[in-house]
Amino acid sequence: MDAKPSYEFIEKHSHDHAGGGAHGSLHKVDSIVPIIVTGESELPESDRLVDLKKWILQLLGES
């Protein structure tokens, strides 16, 4: 189940996230977040979170 873009599923124990970006919608308006890294010439394999994690760990010398 997926919420409409900029909407989310809430229940009595959750907080709402005005403007989207919360739990529910898988649309890119709610799923893409900015990241700024300076001083590096090597880029991650793709924009997927799993690839960003691997890339950041490489930058930190953790891989």
Side-chain angles (χ1 to χ4, degrees):
M1 182 171 218
D2 186 22
K4 291 180 182 180
S6 298
Y7 286 84
E8 64 180 315
F9 299 115
I10 59 170
E11 53 101 35
K12 66 181 181 178
H13 298 292
S14 69
H15 303 282
D16 74 340
H17 300 83
H23 308 287
S25 174
L26 299 174
H27 190 271
K28 69 180 179 179
V29 72
D30 293 318
S31 300
I32 294 179
V33 295
I35 182 171
I36 299 172
V37 177
T38 63
E40 287 298 324
S41 58
E42 188 175 324
L43 298 174
E45 294 177 28
S46 75
D47 293 338
R48 299 179 325 147
L49 285 178
V50 294
D51 294 325
L52 286 175
K53 176 187 174 189
K54 184 168 70 171
W55 178 66
I56 291 169
L57 289 174
Q58 287 174 346
L59 294 177
L60 296 172
E62 301 287 328
S63 60

